[in-house]
Amino acid sequence: ACNSSSGGTSTASGGGDKPYIAIVSKGFQHQFWQAVKKGAEEEAAKQGARITFEGPATEADVEAQVTMLTNALAKKPAAIGFAALDSKAAAPLLQQAKSAKIPVIAFDSGVDSDIPVTTASTDNKAAAAEAAKHMSDLLGGKGKVALVVHDQTSRSGIDRRDGFLEWMKANAPGITVLPPQYGGGDQAKSADITKSIIAANPDIAGIYGSNEGSAIGVIKGVEESGKKGIKIVGFDSGKAQIDAIKNGTMAGAITQNPIGIGQQLVIAAMKAIKGENQPKVIDTGFYWYDKTNIDKPEIAAVLYQ
Amino acid sequence: MTTPSAGTITSPASPPPTEQPANEGLTGRLRSRLQQFLAFASLIVIFAVFAIASPNFLTYGNVTAILFSTVVIGTLALGTTFVIITGGIDLSLGTGMALCAVMSGVFIVNMDLPLGVGVLGAILFGGLLGFVNGVNIAILKIPPFIATLAMMLVAQGLALVVSHSAPIYFNDTPGYFAISTGNLIPGVQFPNAVLILAVLAVISGILLNKTILGRYTYSIGSNEEATSLSGISVRKWKIIVYTLAGLFIGMAGVLISARLGSAQPATGAGYELQAIAAVVIGGTSLAGGKGSIVGTIIGALIISVLNNGLQIMSIPQEWQNVILGCVILVAVYADMLRKRES
Amino acid sequence: MTTPSAGTITSPASPPPTEQPANEGLTGRLRSRLQQFLAFASLIVIFAVFAIASPNFLTYGNVTAILFSTVVIGTLALGTTFVIITGGIDLSLGTGMALCAVMSGVFIVNMDLPLGVGVLGAILFGGLLGFVNGVNIAILKIPPFIATLAMMLVAQGLALVVSHSAPIYFNDTPGYFAISTGNLIPGVQFPNAVLILAVLAVISGILLNKTILGRYTYSIGSNEEATSLSGISVRKWKIIVYTLAGLFIGMAGVLISARLGSAQPATGAGYELQAIAAVVIGGTSLAGGKGSIVGTIIGALIISVLNNGLQIMSIPQEWQNVILGCVILVAVYADMLRKRES
Amino acid sequence: MDVAQVPSQRGVPLLRAEGVSKSFPGVRALSDVHLDLRHNEVLGLVGENGAGKSTLMKLLSGIYTADEGEFYLNGERLEVTGPKQAQELGISIIHQEFNLMPDLTVAQNIFIGREPRSGRFFLNERGLNARAMELIERLQLSLDPTRTVASLTVAKQQMVEIAKALSYDAKVLIMDEPTAALNETEVAALHDLIRRFKRPDTGAIYISHRMDELKAITDRVTVLRDGQYVGTVDTARTTMKEVISLMVGRTIVGDAKPEGVREEREVLLEVRGLSTKALLKDVSFDLRKGEILGFAGLMGAGRTEVARAIVGADKVDSGTITLRGERVSIRNPADAAKHRIGYLSEDRKQFGLLLEQDVNANIALSSLRDLFSSFGFMRDKTMRARSRQSVSALRIKTPSIHQTAKNLSGGNQQKVVIAKWLLRDCDILIFDEPTRGIDVGAKEEIYRLLNELAQQGKSIIMISSELPEILRMSHRIVVMSEGRITGMLSAEEATQESVMHYATLRPDENPADAAELGLDEIETPHPQTAEKAGER
Ligand SMILES: Nc1ncnc2c1ncn2[C@@H]1O[C@H](COP(=O)(O)OP(=O)(O)OP(=O)(O)O)[C@@H](O)[C@H]1O
Ligand SMILES: Nc1ncnc2c1ncn2[C@@H]1O[C@H](COP(=O)(O)OP(=O)(O)OP(=O)(O)O)[C@@H](O)[C@H]1O
Ligand SMILES: [Mg+2]
Ligand SMILES: [Mg+2]
């Protein structure tokens, strides 16, 4: 359901009858971004807008993103949706958008600039802190905890790591946190890392995976090691995590509302195109979900399979 | 003046210079065996260092984990060993593997084909990718680097297109997981995937050393033109070699998706360099004509032992790559020194 | 690999008999000029297709954007052209560039050195990386693939270590941005980085065609053994070539961090394949001995025009790679056909 | 300087080797060899394939270091540390294998490392070409300094080597089989050059398997056998027979001659109107069963091209090939092999050998499928046994069949390539310069084998630039010039003179021009040497 929909083939002009919104995201291939894309596409169909959705291969590829933003500008869109990998890097381009009177909507994480009309984002740090809190609760406030993080330099990686670490440091004196390990969000690599962690720390009590790929990697690693009783806390959703939560392998996870982010983004963009006023920040929220609430409609609505 | 037809000349007889069974023959053969055995040395040294440094390293569970983590790269590396011995290269390994995993999902999950058929289909699909590479390289004469780079991009895109950019889950086919994580040996906790890699390595070794395919692989890498002029259809055998590598790509796709329980369309990029590195660390020359399966397996093990050991020792991750790089350098250098000596 | 004492065997693993330098002499020279000019053909065809397909493509702004997006890959590709002509390869380009960017940040931001000094320092640091590669390859005789793969890992780790895994921002040195995005030509909106690339290309062209460095670069790639037997210090010149490539890595590091306004320690991986692809698409042979700067620039442009055009045409992203792969294949094939014909 | 140590009537020799030994793993290439090169002389160095000639020269030029022994230059102890230093000392060598950079031009190759510069770093390309032109003119070679070496024929590449060696201000010129790739005219020109090089302060060492050349150019001849010094003779006072007997130390029966022509034999291969874009025009001939058909002509006449066209190695523009009465289309050498046609290339390094593989693999290569495998699996034992047979049948000097091909001496490499084709059971064998670089004794061996094959009913095309060989071995002789067949002679009517007459005939221009032929043959591109420089 991706190459169809509103993107369409009307390649040429930025004008046309439908307003065109160019969205440059932090990623493309991962489920999280595909869910954002899905939300945006659905909303665009509803509102009668045309969108394109692009993102670099990895969240380290700042230059590629900047180039994508440049190319998006060249298409003279009516509005731009932008999730900055590095907000400073894009500053000149945002300035350019401003001079061209193209409104910019930031999403996922904030942009260090007052150019964006509004920002639809989640507080990743607070979300990670929430994950830490649940981990601590699950362990009764003591034990050894490891982190498998998807990236050590990207905003989301840093926030989800630091949010977790800081909460633990401040609130859980009984918990020892091992140095974070980074698996690039690759499931197989994260699984191998998890197994190494377990081998090196036979007394490990809990492991936190900072995004979908890391979390699934942790689940696989724990399963493959045959070790029982390790509490796993994850991030994002996706079928594998949902299944793991349902069958008890994973204690629970934090999810944002990617589909909602996509929708909010398009709504905000349309408003900006029409010149309507809107708040500077739209909090798209995050949720803790586990076995107990996974089937509740409000949670089910924000999970993607 | 004497023409070459110098007529009959008689002079003190000296024995005809036939074969001289000098130092070579038995001792020579033995020495070269020993040398190959010595190629293990780096691996063993690394292994020993970790075993001493960390009590958690040399446990049954961890050694199995190391072997398990070698499976995918190892499988890719086996196939590409043939390609590299012909003097070629295959950059489409990684994303090709992702595409094959997706195809496996399409066959088994979306089309609901029986497990065996789906797996076979995915492997054959890998063969098809390799075949296309082979045709581009052998018939259209596109340099292997470019041909497989293009295939890398195409496979990357197609994996997303075919899967609609979403993972395909094998939840309803529990048998699929067993391909990788099941324990065929009753009672022993030993993943099938490792056994499969071992079998594939043995098959590759036989193909490379005991069949004409292997001979031609070396010949083409040694001197393509001379091989062709010896009446051998270089085109055909090159296509076969790339197709074979493609079959291994397909198997890697099955193995990785069986391990993860899902076909992840966005993975794969980067695996090609790791697989090629394993082959080259194992002593196969990128210039072609030289190489061995044993070397490739050792190369793949060196990489995964290092990765695992550094993590077990809780080296900060940013230092792990630094150390990994240095150790690879030293290991290869030591190996070269040894070879030069003998 | 080839010590002077290794015997006198001339031809290495027998490269396939492609390319025939046609009837030379004046007409021949003219024809070969023409042929090189024809290498533009693919680029021009691609360019024309996009220009017709999208009105947003052929605008001043977009053409500048294409050129701008060629800068980093182009700079890396220029340096590695020398390496590839010697028959080597450099995989440490990408992460080496990230490390140099970080070093630039360390010099300018952390150590507060003057802009010029910091930039020079970063470039020289790149030279140092290249020098180490050169020593490993020329003196320790480690195969280039392994030596630079190891350097790729080391640089990747060091970039994180040095930067403490966080980007370094050049906010307080606005002059730094100007290196890349400023407009040296008064009144015209034309980024400096493009001018720098042009200057670097000219310098590279002069180095390759008009100096002994260039001559020995070709000579080593053509026949390393014979070059060495001719009394040329192959070691020395190889080290110089890798060091030169390192300087280009340093410059790419400065250019990318100036463009982004920050040094991103985790970028770079993947750039090496792109840069090498640009070189090879430009007609430089990985077997060594052949290649040109013009070709490399054309190769880099082909890649960035394709990327830009596909995005401008709003092709869905998953299809972009598929098309990119196919077009590269066709472009290279067409180029080869043309060469074979003449 | 220790003059007393140097026993020589004419005073101190220019170059002297004493008690030199050198071993390779499994091979004692030289043991206790000595050699004197006097001023103003050309010293021939002969010996069977693998006798150690090239090794001795490589020691002299610093490529190998001797295990034992000393060298003296003008009586002074010589420590050669490397090729560059040897050059600086005035020792210049033309190796048996080419040492050229195929992607560089003639001028660039000649002056590599000594380019005229503007400043320290910039090349003076014009100066380079001018200097090269000057040198080429002085040496009276016909070379275009701006051509890339890859596009030259083997003969021309050899000339580049010669020009390069002479461009150094050499006192000692060493030539290791410089004429293996040259024809008579070119050899004469080279000898001319050597005579001019000979001065009271210089000397040359000349290695060759062609006895007539040794007679023509050398003053004395030193003979090696199995890595040992056998003796030195004055050329003027000995016959070459004597030299040969010193060299081989055994009897050579040199009377192999094919039976007379048999017109009545059935025609196996009919070639009609073969043309290629590059060179060949309307080449037509028949090959009969059990016949040795000689192909004569000057360098570049197109003989190799005919062979390559027949086996499908090169594209054919027009023409038909009829095999056993049936028209066949042969698109590549694999097709040719299926039709039982084998081609032994003239350039063993580039087109014949797997240098990095062992002798066994090389010999077996063509026959792997037919002889040495069942269901795709190798029959290693059979293969080794047959390889060993070939090694002893052809007297290939190698420590074992597991020796790497590149470690064999040049002549022995050639024998390996021949062995490969003898194993494969072909009906038609095309041998392109089969005896290039092969010693006198082994040549006889090969002639005998060719005869045997012909008697068994095999048909053989033998391309050779050695007229005596062609005249002696062929039933019929095809003579080519500039891509066309200009003459077809029976064994009886063929003489050196008649063959040369047809070989220098210009097919499409007035005969007056024919005189200019020789060195100055017309060159057209050819896929063969388009890539790296090979070896003769
Ligand atoms: N690098 C090497 N490694 C091992 N053996 C070698 C090497 N080079 C030469 N030999 C052996 O040394 C012996 C002498 O070889 P050399 O090349 O000197 O012979 P040659 O007299 O030049 O013969 P030819 O007439 O065939 O050229 C041969 O048996 C050869 O196999
Ligand atoms: N290896 C080569 N590379 C480039 N051109 C070649 C090559 N061989 C031959 N040619 C060209 O093709 C023409 C035919 O040469 P060919 O080798 O067929 O002649 P030949 O009679 O076999 O001579 P030779 O004894 O030198 O092999 C020559 O004019 C020559 O310029
Ligand atoms: Mg020799
Ligand atoms: Mg010939």
Side-chain angles (χ1 to χ4, degrees):
Chain A
C2 63
N3 56 333
S4 57
S5 85
S6 40
T9 43
S10 62
T11 48
S13 79
D17 32 13
K18 289 179 171 181
Y20 166 50
I21 307 167
I23 301 173
V24 176
S25 125
K26 284 182 181 175
F28 176 76
Q29 305 164 345
H30 292 101
Q31 283 322 285
F32 182 82
W33 300 114
Q34 286 291 324
V36 174
K37 181 175 177 230
K38 190 164 160 245
E41 278 171 350
E42 282 169 8
E43 192 58 35
K46 218 184 283 172
Q47 302 237 6
R50 194 167 67 80
I51 67 161
T52 53
F53 190 99
E54 276 164 337
T58 73
E59 295 199 8
D61 216 344
V62 184
E63 201 208 8
Q65 195 192 35
V66 169
T67 301
M68 283 176 172
L69 187 57
T70 311
N71 295 341
L73 276 170
K75 292 189 272 185
K76 307 190 183 76
I80 285 179
F82 183 52
L85 288 177
D86 184 290
S87 53
K88 294 205 184 74
L93 289 169
L94 294 179
Q95 198 59 50
Q96 213 175 307
K98 193 179 173 189
S99 341
K101 300 211 163 50
I102 302 171
V104 176
I105 318 296
F107 67 101
D108 187 61
S109 52
V111 175
D112 244 355
S113 150
D114 49 10
I115 290 172
V117 182
T118 182
T119 300
S121 71
T122 318
D123 186 343
N124 269 310
K125 249 179 144 165
E130 181 75 12
K133 180 171 163 294
H134 282 277
M135 176 67 89
S136 170
D137 289 349
L138 286 162
L139 300 180
K142 55 180 192 301
K144 239 188 208 178
V145 169
L147 287 74
V148 177
V149 180
H150 60 282
D151 195 277
Q152 66 226 88
T153 57
S154 76
R155 199 69 251 157
S156 67
I158 292 170
D159 284 348
R160 291 179 191 181
R161 177 193 68 197
D162 292 350
F164 191 92
L165 290 175
E166 283 164 17
W167 189 93
M168 285 294 186
K169 200 169 168 204
N171 303 303
I175 287 182
T176 324
V177 185
L178 297 170
Q181 298 286 324
Y182 304 91
D186 182 275
Q187 297 186 4
K189 196 174 168 201
S190 302
D192 289 334
I193 289 174
T194 303
K195 284 158 86 175
S196 307
I197 292 172
I198 295 171
N201 307 278
D203 54 342
I204 192 91
I207 307 179
Y208 160 70
S210 71
N211 77 344
E212 185 187 343
S214 312
I216 296 171
V218 171
I219 296 167
K220 292 289 164 199
V222 170
E223 277 176 1
E224 285 171 9
S225 76
K227 191 109 175 162
K228 297 276 182 289
I230 297 177
K231 300 281 184 251
I232 306 171
V233 168
F235 217 108
D236 294 340
S237 53
K239 188 171 168 52
Q241 274 194 93
I242 293 170
D243 287 352
I245 288 174
K246 284 185 175 162
N247 72 23
T249 320
M250 182 179 237
I254 297 289
T255 182
Q256 306 179 46
N257 182 2
I259 298 176
I261 293 175
Q263 289 166 341
Q264 295 284 355
L265 169 61
V266 172
I267 292 170
M270 290 305 283
K271 278 188 184 164
I273 292 168
K274 291 175 195 142
E276 292 172 24
N277 262 347
Q278 46 187 331
K280 245 344 209 181
V281 176
I282 303 165
D283 189 353
T284 51
F286 59 84
Y287 310 86
W288 165 261
Y289 67 107
D290 56 20
K291 224 175 189 165
T292 60
N293 67 354
I294 195 164
D295 291 322
K296 292 202 179 129
E298 66 268 28
I299 293 295
V302 300
L303 297 180
Y304 57 89
Q305 290 270 330
Chain B
M1 175 155 161
T2 0
T3 55
S5 52
T8 319
I9 302 141
T10 327
S11 74
S14 89
T18 51
E19 207 180 324
Q20 306 162 3
N23 286 18
E24 288 245 355
L26 244 181
T27 36
R29 211 91 51 76
L30 221 156
R31 198 188 298 170
S32 97
R33 272 289 147 75
L34 200 72
Q35 198 173 302
Q36 209 177 45
F37 174 76
L38 277 171
F40 275 105
S42 301
L43 178 59
I44 288 170
V45 169
I46 295 168
F47 204 82
V49 168
F50 284 131
I52 294 166
S54 166
N56 299 318
F57 183 79
L58 208 60
T59 63
Y60 181 77
N62 194 47
V63 172
T64 329
I66 291 174
L67 294 175
F68 198 27
S69 71
T70 315
V71 169
V72 171
I73 292 295
T75 305
L76 292 172
L78 285 178
T80 206
T81 302
F82 288 81
V83 167
I84 293 178
I85 292 177
T86 65
I89 199 154
D90 193 346
L91 298 176
S92 64
L93 292 181
T95 60
M97 170 186 81
L99 178 55
C100 291
V102 167
M103 289 314 293
S104 177
V106 168
F107 293 143
I108 296 172
V109 179
N110 301 7
M111 294 169 60
D112 223 1
L113 296 177
L115 189 70
V117 176
V119 167
L120 195 69
I123 295 174
L124 291 180
F125 188 84
L128 179 69
L129 292 184
F131 178 79
V132 173
N133 279 336
V135 168
N136 284 337
I137 291 162
I139 310 282
L140 304 188
K141 313 275 183 213
I142 295 173
F145 187 92
I146 295 286
T148 59
L149 179 88
M151 181 57 87
M152 167 186 177
L153 293 168
V154 170
Q156 192 165 31
L158 283 184
L160 293 171
V161 170
V162 172
S163 68
H164 305 294
S165 304
I168 303 178
Y169 292 94
F170 294 92
N171 285 9
D172 302 329
T173 15
Y176 196 69
F177 296 75
I179 294 174
S180 180
T181 49
N183 300 302
L184 203 65
I185 313 178
V188 191
Q189 190 73 17
F190 198 76
N192 286 348
V194 178
L195 296 179
I196 292 176
L197 177 63
V199 170
L200 290 179
V202 170
I203 293 175
S204 307
I206 292 173
L207 279 179
L208 193 56
N209 297 311
K210 302 281 173 212
T211 70
I212 51 174
L213 167 65
R215 281 294 166 140
Y216 292 155
T217 302
Y218 283 110
S219 301
I220 292 171
S222 288
N223 188 341
E224 185 170 330
E225 190 70 11
T227 306
S228 164
L229 284 174
S230 297
I232 289 149
S233 175
V234 169
R235 292 176 175 203
K236 181 178 100 186
W237 290 102
K238 268 194 177 175
I239 293 176
I240 291 177
V241 164
Y242 280 91
T243 308
L244 180 72
L247 294 173
F248 277 90
I249 294 174
M251 288 186 270
V254 170
L255 286 168
I256 195 168
S257 55
R259 178 182 186 186
L260 300 177
S262 63
Q264 299 285 338
T267 45
Y271 279 69
E272 62 284 345
L273 277 190
Q274 285 191 56
I276 297 169
V279 175
V280 180
I281 291 172
T284 298
S285 152
L286 281 174
K290 286 190 195 108
S292 72
I293 294 296
V294 178
T296 293
I297 291 292
I298 293 174
L301 281 174
I302 286 182
I303 293 177
S304 52
V305 167
L306 276 173
N307 271 325
N308 175 284
L310 292 172
Q311 279 161 17
I312 292 276
M313 286 179 63
S314 301
I315 308 276
Q317 195 158 6
E318 51 275 31
W319 284 104
Q320 288 181 13
N321 272 343
V322 179
I323 298 173
L324 189 63
C326 295
V327 175
I328 288 177
L329 219 51
V330 172
V332 171
Y333 181 60
D335 199 48
M336 302 214 22
L337 267 193
R338 220 180 293 120
K339 276 190 194 149
R340 223 174 301 158
E341 302 252 302
S342 58
Chain C
M1 270 184 66
T2 20
T3 52
S5 59
T8 41
I9 284 88
T10 328
S11 51
S14 121
T18 47
E19 237 180 305
Q20 311 159 10
N23 292 11
E24 295 244 351
L26 240 183
T27 37
R29 210 89 54 75
L30 222 157
R31 199 187 295 171
S32 97
R33 271 288 147 77
L34 200 71
Q35 199 172 301
Q36 209 176 46
F37 174 76
L38 276 172
F40 275 106
S42 300
L43 178 58
I44 288 170
V45 170
I46 295 168
F47 203 84
V49 169
F50 284 131
I52 294 166
S54 166
N56 296 322
F57 183 78
L58 207 60
T59 63
Y60 180 77
N62 193 50
V63 172
T64 328
I66 293 174
L67 293 175
F68 197 32
S69 71
T70 316
V71 169
V72 172
I73 292 295
T75 305
L76 292 172
L78 286 178
T80 206
T81 303
F82 288 81
V83 167
I84 293 179
I85 292 176
T86 66
I89 199 155
D90 192 346
L91 298 176
S92 65
L93 292 181
T95 62
M97 170 186 79
L99 178 55
C100 291
V102 167
M103 290 313 294
S104 176
V106 168
F107 293 143
I108 296 173
V109 180
N110 301 7
M111 294 170 61
D112 223 1
L113 295 177
L115 188 71
V117 177
V119 167
L120 195 69
I123 295 174
L124 291 180
F125 188 84
L128 179 69
L129 293 183
F131 178 79
V132 174
N133 279 337
V135 169
N136 284 337
I137 291 162
I139 311 281
L140 305 187
K141 313 277 181 209
I142 295 173
F145 188 91
I146 295 285
T148 59
L149 180 88
M151 180 57 87
M152 169 185 176
L153 292 167
V154 170
Q156 191 164 33
L158 283 184
L160 293 171
V161 170
V162 172
S163 68
H164 305 291
S165 303
I168 303 179
Y169 291 96
F170 294 92
N171 285 4
D172 303 328
T173 14
Y176 196 69
F177 295 77
I179 295 175
S180 178
T181 49
N183 302 301
L184 203 65
I185 314 179
V188 190
Q189 189 75 18
F190 198 75
N192 286 347
V194 178
L195 296 180
I196 293 177
L197 177 63
V199 170
L200 290 179
V202 170
I203 294 176
S204 307
I206 292 173
L207 279 178
L208 193 56
N209 296 312
K210 304 278 176 212
T211 70
I212 52 171
L213 168 64
R215 179 61 40 81
Y216 297 158
T217 301
Y218 282 110
S219 185
I220 290 171
S222 204
N223 188 341
E224 186 171 331
E225 184 77 37
T227 307
S228 161
L229 287 179
S230 303
I232 290 158
S233 171
V234 169
R235 292 176 173 204
K236 181 179 98 185
W237 289 102
K238 269 192 175 176
I239 293 177
I240 291 177
V241 164
Y242 280 91
T243 308
L244 179 72
L247 293 173
F248 277 90
I249 294 174
M251 288 186 270
V254 170
L255 286 168
I256 194 171
S257 55
R259 177 181 188 188
L260 300 177
S262 63
Q264 301 282 343
T267 44
Y271 279 70
E272 62 284 345
L273 279 190
Q274 284 191 57
I276 297 169
V279 175
V280 180
I281 291 172
T284 297
S285 152
L286 282 174
K290 289 188 193 105
S292 73
I293 293 297
V294 177
T296 294
I297 291 292
I298 293 175
L301 281 175
I302 286 182
I303 294 177
S304 52
V305 167
L306 276 173
N307 272 324
N308 174 284
L310 292 171
Q311 281 170 21
I312 290 281
M313 284 179 62
S314 299
I315 307 280
Q317 193 168 351
E318 54 275 34
W319 284 103
Q320 288 183 13
N321 273 343
V322 178
I323 298 173
L324 190 62
C326 294
V327 174
I328 288 178
L329 218 52
V330 171
V332 172
Y333 181 59
D335 199 47
M336 303 215 21
L337 267 194
R338 221 180 292 119
K339 277 190 194 150
R340 222 175 299 161
E341 301 257 299
S342 60
Chain D
M1 212 161 96
D2 191 354
V3 183
Q5 223 191 314
V6 187
S8 167
Q9 311 96 313
R10 288 193 227 165
V12 182
L14 175 56
L15 186 77
R16 180 176 170 80
E18 240 180 48
V20 174
S21 300
K22 174 76 187 171
S23 292
F24 297 107
V27 186
R28 189 156 172 85
L30 293 173
S31 58
D32 193 24
V33 167
H34 53 101
L35 172 141
D36 273 346
L37 170 66
R38 297 174 188 161
H39 290 97
N40 204 3
E41 87 164 345
V42 178
L43 176 70
L45 184 61
V46 299
E48 286 182 293
N49 295 131
K53 306 178 293 294
S54 299
T55 305
L56 184 58
M57 296 306 111
K58 285 178 192 167
L59 291 173
L60 259 174
S61 60
I63 293 171
Y64 297 153
T65 35
D67 299 341
E68 286 164 47
E70 271 116 52
F71 295 101
Y72 300 89
L73 186 65
N74 281 320
E76 258 178 287
R77 176 78 190 276
L78 193 60
E79 289 283 0
V80 212
T81 52
K84 178 157 197 185
Q85 191 227 5
Q87 268 162 19
E88 280 159 5
L89 289 167
I91 301 174
S92 210
I93 180 164
I94 300 169
H95 290 283
Q96 188 171 9
E97 284 83 27
F98 285 159
N99 276 291
L100 295 173
M101 280 63 74
D103 302 304
L104 301 191
T105 66
V106 170
Q108 290 167 356
N109 262 286
I110 293 175
F111 291 105
I112 188 76
R114 301 168 297 153
E115 296 79 3
R117 301 177 193 179
S118 347
R120 278 197 61 191
F121 201 55
F122 286 93
L123 295 163
N124 174 359
E125 201 69 8
R126 201 172 295 166
L128 174 76
N129 286 331
R131 268 186 69 185
M133 204 58 225
E134 200 181 297
L135 176 76
I136 287 166
E137 272 167 9
R138 183 159 59 82
L139 301 180
Q140 293 165 11
L141 301 171
S142 82
L143 286 171
D144 174 358
T146 60
R147 268 189 79 150
T148 47
V149 161
S151 70
L152 300 179
T153 58
V154 181
K156 294 243 161 166
Q157 293 183 358
Q158 179 64 270
M159 286 173 206
V160 177
E161 284 275 22
I162 292 166
K164 185 177 168 187
L166 289 174
S167 73
Y168 294 92
D169 194 17
K171 293 284 176 276
V172 179
L173 178 62
I174 299 170
M175 287 161 285
D176 196 348
E177 298 192 38
T179 55
L182 303 187
N183 70 17
E184 254 114 286
T185 336
E186 290 156 342
V187 170
L190 174 66
H191 285 183
D192 219 43
L193 277 178
I194 297 172
R195 283 190 199 101
R196 274 185 283 144
F197 168 81
K198 218 161 78 162
R199 276 171 282 136
D201 61 337
T202 62
I205 297 176
Y206 188 95
I207 300 177
S208 177
H209 290 293
R210 296 195 192 173
M211 294 301 146
D212 45 348
E213 285 178 11
L214 290 168
K215 189 83 189 167
I217 190 70
T218 62
D219 299 304
R220 295 185 307 148
V221 175
T222 291
V223 183
L224 297 183
R225 191 199 308 152
D226 287 336
Q228 278 164 335
Y229 177 82
V230 178
T232 302
V233 293
D234 265 339
T235 312
R237 269 182 266 153
T238 35
T239 62
M240 282 304 131
K241 276 192 184 180
E242 213 172 312
V243 173
I244 291 171
S245 67
L246 279 175
M247 188 173 127
V248 298
R250 69 192 148 81
T251 315
I252 289 189
V253 187
D255 52 1
K257 247 229 167 227
E259 314 160 40
V261 189
R262 298 246 202 107
E263 284 291 341
E264 74 276 12
R265 284 187 185 177
E266 75 180 273
V267 171
L268 191 60
L269 178 78
E270 258 180 80
V271 175
R272 289 290 173 271
L274 199 66
S275 302
T276 62
K277 216 185 242 158
L279 183 70
L280 299 184
K281 300 243 162 41
D282 196 23
V283 170
S284 306
F285 65 92
D286 292 339
L287 176 67
R288 294 165 199 279
K289 198 162 185 290
E291 174 181 50
I292 299 178
L293 183 64
F295 265 69
L298 299 179
M299 291 285 146
R303 296 162 298 167
T304 296
E305 196 143 320
V306 169
R308 288 180 60 94
I310 291 174
V311 298
D314 289 339
K315 272 233 161 59
V316 176
D317 258 13
S318 61
T320 61
I321 294 173
T322 311
L323 194 62
R324 297 180 196 89
E326 262 174 66
R327 256 194 71 178
V328 291
S329 109
I330 298 175
R331 280 157 303 144
N332 52 50
D335 277 352
K338 265 181 223 138
H339 288 111
R340 302 165 71 87
I341 304 176
Y343 170 58
L344 177 141
S345 154
E346 63 183 328
D347 184 342
R348 60 174 170 260
K349 279 271 157 70
Q350 210 185 336
F351 301 123
L353 280 174
L354 313 175
L355 284 173
E356 304 287 338
Q357 309 281 332
D358 64 9
V359 171
N360 183 33
N362 271 288
I363 293 180
L365 184 60
S366 285
S367 319
L368 278 180
R369 267 187 109 162
D370 298 345
L371 294 182
F372 303 131
S373 67
S374 32
F375 308 105
F377 285 89
M378 309 299 315
R379 293 162 56 198
D380 281 316
K381 257 200 203 127
T382 326
M383 186 159 88
R384 284 198 296 268
R386 292 297 292 266
S387 293
R388 287 209 180 87
Q389 271 174 24
S390 303
V391 163
S392 57
L394 289 177
R395 297 168 174 275
I396 299 175
K397 195 181 172 204
T398 172
S400 88
I401 57 166
H402 300 294
Q403 175 73 304
T404 311
K406 74 169 179 195
N407 288 339
L408 295 190
S409 78
N412 284 303
Q413 289 176 346
Q414 182 70 20
K415 293 186 193 170
V416 168
V417 184
I418 293 176
K420 171 171 78 182
W421 281 114
L422 293 183
L423 255 193
R424 173 146 187 153
D425 191 24
C426 285
D427 292 340
I428 299 174
L429 281 165
I430 307 176
F431 283 136
D432 198 350
E433 311 283 0
T435 60
R436 188 169 270 182
I438 281 193
D439 69 47
V440 193
K443 263 184 193 166
E444 291 303 328
E445 213 69 47
I446 286 163
Y447 295 154
R448 196 179 51 73
L449 275 161
L450 291 184
N451 271 330
E452 261 176 43
L453 289 170
Q455 271 153 26
Q456 287 162 24
K458 312 270 181 214
S459 308
I460 292 166
I461 292 178
M462 184 168 84
I463 301 172
S464 172
S465 297
E466 282 187 51
L467 264 188
E469 175 174 291
I470 287 267
L471 290 172
R472 178 178 148 192
M473 292 302 297
S474 315
H475 292 106
R476 290 185 304 144
I477 297 165
V478 172
V479 191
M480 289 190 69
S481 172
E482 294 185 15
R484 292 175 194 255
I485 291 183
T486 49
M488 184 87 73
L489 305 166
S490 69
E492 289 79 25
E493 55 186 328
T495 60
Q496 296 241 6
E497 290 69 31
S498 61
V499 171
M500 279 314 281
H501 167 74
Y502 287 112
T504 50
L505 212 61
R506 285 201 138 176
D508 38 24
E509 286 181 34
N510 58 62
D513 287 348
E516 279 179 32
L517 273 171
L519 283 187
D520 198 2
E521 96 271 354
I522 294 146
E523 283 169 341
T524 32
H526 191 292
Q528 245 181 300
T529 53
E531 204 72 7
K532 312 269 173 184
E535 186 257 12
R536 43 215 117 123

